[in-house]
Amino acid sequence: MKRLLILMFIFLIFTACENKDEAEEPNSMADLSVSPDFAFNTTKIVELNLTSRDASGNLQPNVPFSIFKKDPATASGSRVLRSATNDFGNFENTIKLPAYYNKIYIRPAASEVQELAINHLSSENAKIDADFIYSPNKLKYNKNLDSFEPVTASDNGFVFTLQNIVADYENSTATITISITNNNNKKFKDAYFTIPSSVLATEIEPNNTNYESPAGMTYWVQYPVNHWIMGNSIAYYGNNGFKNGETDYYYITLPLEVFEFWNSMEMYATATGNTSGQVTLDFSYTPEFSMTEYYPAENEFGTLAYEDYWPQQGDYDMNDLVIDYNMSLEKSYVGDLETIFAQFNIRAIGASYTIGFGFQLPDFIQVNGNVTSTSGLAYVEADNRTIVLFDDARDIVTENSDQFINTDPALPYIETSVMTISIPVVSSDNNTDEDWFLPPYNPFIFVNERAKEIHLANFPPTNQADLTLFNTQDDASDPVSDYYYRTAANLPWAFHIAESSLYPIEKIQIIQAFPEFYQWAESEGNQATDWYTFPDENLIYPVP
């Protein structure tokens, strides 16, 4: 009996402790204890310092590569950067990644995918300092380069495919790979490919030489040839070649500058017995010496979620406006930003107020020309770096304009569409890595009037904002300390997630919909960094 009482006593103590721990887990944003130094960032700024080498460790200059968030061998659409190392085999840049990532992947042109480990320096910063191996596969015609989409066409039993284009920066050339499949039962003979008339014979490889093809066929290659149908062409003269579905490959090396204006090639093939086929292939090729950055990744979206009550504290369901974004930055090889292409998709409107949306570029980036958008509603403000996408979200999502959009499961789901915008820009050097200096830059909503802006935590207002609203009601901003859009309890009015995220249903706080949110917030972003990937499915808006 005495032993039983002792066991019961221990059980009660254990249960009480367990219940105490559960009770201490905040279930309301009001219960959170958050440091003023924590800005609710779900991303890290990652400094890249990469060096390209061959398998023997020798420096390899001008190596094109792509960087991916996920292994491109198993997951598509996760590229975050396309560029090349410089004349010394080096590449330096800064990107933004989800904070919970521990590695990313690099794929040099025509080489194998390699892992790059992320060195976490703090809850907001990380670094990758690494070498990668450039070891081109000899069968490079089977590898489609990142910036090129193969094109194909058929005629009279011949299948013509422009497989890829490989840049060689050291020699300022690019090599085109073409395949021809002969489905006829007649042996393949000759192939002809049109070349721009401005290209000299001495600039083409191969030319006036014997060419041993992958199919074991020997051709005599000659340029220029004035083909009786196609005109200025490079000719591959052969005999007794492949047939019955067999394929051969052809390589043509041209100066890189040709691809600035040339995007169409005619092809002509013959087989014994006067059998012939002719096609025209239009192609699109961007030489790899330019650089593209993708945020959060190519063909992927990040999520921005807002409360609209500021300067009054809201209900923290974070669905007054939920808008997804994707941005790509087109840069020259030396890193000068030239164009920003952006896509936005309003996913939810849980507000009865009029909500506009825009984003501000940092002061070292200026709009340089006309901004075009599919909605026709976007415009640039007088500072030449603030772009407003719309003054009223209901002008974009017009269906059921008198109801909340996609926040209440009892109401019909509204299918929304992506709007795009193209922004020509000029940029100057920047040596500071502020979070909002990278996409999505400084995104904000404005409520009922242009001057009432709501930004991410510690992101500054634009010059159109009414600064007299700071430190009124629940706002505790301190502009002198760059402390913006925070309550006295250090809570924000907006969140940015660098992946497309789910969001709470109406009147459910974000801390309730995502059980690990509190741990992330109270640890200053050092724990549960992937909190938004573990929702309570019963409290999340169910997209059909």
Side-chain angles (χ1 to χ4, degrees):
M1 182 67 179
K2 184 176 180 181
R3 180 178 296 177
L4 179 61
L5 289 173
I6 292 172
L7 290 174
M8 289 179 64
F9 180 71
I10 294 172
F11 174 76
L12 289 172
I13 292 175
F14 177 77
T15 304
C17 291
E18 197 173 53
N19 290 338
K20 182 176 182 294
D21 289 342
E22 290 179 359
E24 289 177 351
E25 293 184 5
N27 195 40
S28 168
M29 295 291 282
D31 298 330
L32 277 178
S33 176
V34 179
S35 167
D37 297 326
F38 179 54
F40 292 87
N41 289 332
T42 63
T43 60
K44 287 190 178 184
I45 295 175
V46 181
E47 179 185 345
L48 300 177
N49 185 7
L50 306 178
T51 303
S52 50
R53 299 182 183 275
D54 63 18
S56 299
N58 301 309
L59 288 174
Q60 291 292 301
N62 309 117
V63 175
F65 63 86
S66 284
I67 290 178
F68 298 80
K69 289 166 51 181
K70 303 170 185 175
D71 187 348
T74 59
S76 61
S78 63
R79 179 166 58 173
V80 296
L81 178 66
R82 178 186 63 81
S83 189
T85 55
N86 61 20
D87 292 341
F88 304 98
N90 299 125
F91 176 82
E92 296 181 358
N93 198 43
T94 301
I95 60 176
K96 189 186 293 185
L97 293 172
Y100 69 90
Y101 275 48
N102 293 312
K103 60 184 176 182
I104 56 177
Y105 299 84
I106 187 168
R107 184 174 67 192
S111 300
E112 298 301 320
V113 175
Q114 299 155 52
E115 287 187 8
L116 299 175
I118 298 175
N119 178 21
H120 296 279
L121 305 177
S122 69
S123 64
E124 296 184 355
N125 295 94
K127 186 175 184 179
I128 298 175
D129 196 343
D131 293 351
F132 66 90
I133 304 302
Y134 175 56
S135 182
N137 190 319
K138 291 183 179 179
L139 300 178
K140 62 185 177 182
Y141 50 79
N142 286 330
K143 291 185 175 291
N144 301 326
L145 283 194
D146 301 323
S147 63
F148 187 78
E149 191 70 29
V151 288
T152 189
S154 304
D155 183 49
N156 201 24
F158 296 98
V159 180
F160 303 82
T161 302
L162 208 167
Q163 296 279 2
N164 65 25
I165 302 176
V166 180
D168 178 353
Y169 304 103
E170 218 167 354
N171 297 306
S172 297
T173 61
T175 299
I176 306 169
T177 300
I178 303 163
S179 68
I180 299 178
T181 300
N182 180 16
N183 292 315
N184 299 289
N185 60 4
K186 306 291 186 180
K187 291 184 178 181
F188 190 88
K189 290 181 59 181
D190 307 324
Y192 300 84
F193 309 103
T194 56
I195 301 295
S197 57
S198 60
V199 181
L200 302 176
T202 54
E203 296 177 317
I204 288 188
E205 293 290 342
N207 185 41
N208 291 327
T209 184
N210 286 326
Y211 165 62
E212 297 287 341
S213 74
M217 191 169 174
T218 300
Y219 297 89
W220 170 252
V221 184
Q222 188 174 5
Y223 174 84
V225 171
N226 186 18
H227 189 267
W228 65 284
I229 294 179
M230 300 192 303
N232 192 59
S233 304
I234 182 170
Y236 284 72
Y237 298 117
N239 200 9
N240 297 322
F242 55 99
K243 61 180 181 178
N244 296 332
E246 295 178 323
T247 302
D248 211 347
Y249 293 86
Y250 309 86
Y251 308 100
I252 303 172
T253 300
L254 302 173
L256 262 178
E257 61 264 23
V258 169
F259 297 93
E260 295 179 7
F261 61 87
W262 184 52
N263 57 9
S264 181
M265 175 183 272
E266 288 187 77
M267 303 182 183
Y268 184 87
T270 66
T272 57
N274 294 322
T275 303
S276 64
Q278 180 183 358
V279 300
T280 300
L281 294 181
D282 297 325
F283 61 91
S284 175
Y285 173 60
T286 302
E288 295 287 336
F289 51 76
S290 64
M291 180 166 72
T292 307
E293 296 176 24
Y294 305 92
Y295 291 89
E298 188 177 21
N299 302 319
E300 293 185 6
F301 283 80
T303 296
L304 297 160
Y306 294 88
E307 282 290 313
D308 66 354
Y309 280 3
W310 183 86
Q312 183 179 344
Q313 188 166 297
D315 56 11
Y316 284 105
D317 56 11
M318 304 310 301
N319 62 21
D320 294 335
L321 183 72
V322 180
I323 184 167
D324 276 8
Y325 75 91
N326 173 278
M327 291 186 180
S328 60
L329 312 184
E330 294 291 336
K331 297 183 176 182
S332 68
Y333 179 50
V334 295
D336 294 331
L337 180 59
E338 298 174 341
T339 309
I340 300 171
F341 296 102
Q343 296 177 296
F344 294 91
N345 182 24
I346 297 175
R347 294 172 58 199
I349 306 173
S352 54
Y353 294 152
T354 299
I355 296 183
F357 176 82
F359 63 96
Q360 184 184 48
L361 303 172
D363 58 9
F364 57 86
I365 303 175
Q366 296 284 319
V367 177
N368 184 37
N370 296 325
V371 168
T372 57
S373 67
T374 53
S375 68
L377 300 175
Y379 59 90
V380 181
E381 294 190 332
D383 66 353
N384 213 34
R385 59 190 184 94
T386 300
I387 298 96
V388 174
L389 264 71
F390 50 81
D391 292 314
D392 185 353
R394 303 283 181 171
D395 291 337
I396 304 295
V397 184
T398 58
E399 191 174 350
N400 290 4
S401 59
D402 58 339
Q403 297 179 348
F404 286 177
I405 303 297
N406 300 342
T407 64
D408 185 349
L411 298 175
Y413 174 74
I414 304 300
E415 191 73 42
T416 60
S417 58
V418 174
M419 57 188 130
T420 63
I421 183 170
S422 177
I423 308 165
V425 296
V426 292
S427 63
S428 56
D429 291 338
N430 165 56
N431 297 318
T432 306
D433 292 329
E434 296 287 343
D435 186 47
W436 74 278
F437 287 0
L438 295 172
Y441 297 116
N442 185 5
F444 62 94
I445 64 172
F446 48 96
V447 181
N448 292 336
E449 57 179 310
R450 176 62 187 85
K452 190 177 179 182
E453 297 180 357
I454 303 173
H455 292 248
L456 296 167
N458 294 353
F459 281 44
T462 76
N463 59 12
Q464 297 294 312
D466 182 356
L467 304 185
T468 66
L469 294 174
F470 287 137
N471 283 293
T472 64
Q473 298 187 29
D474 295 318
D475 180 74
S477 296
D478 180 12
V480 175
S481 303
D482 293 328
Y483 185 82
Y484 296 104
Y485 300 98
R486 309 285 290 272
T487 69
N490 304 312
L491 300 180
W493 274 266
F495 287 96
H496 165 229
I497 298 173
E499 295 174 291
S500 188
S501 174
L502 301 172
Y503 56 89
I505 58 178
E506 197 64 34
K507 302 303 180 184
I508 296 296
Q509 293 190 21
I510 190 171
I511 195 172
Q512 298 163 344
F514 296 92
E516 295 189 12
F517 177 91
Y518 86 91
Q519 184 181 357
W520 170 71
E522 291 197 341
S523 70
E524 299 185 36
N526 290 304
Q527 300 176 22
T529 52
D530 56 351
W531 60 269
Y532 52 87
T533 65
F534 297 100
D536 183 334
E537 299 291 347
N538 297 318
L539 303 179
I540 291 296
Y541 181 77
V543 178

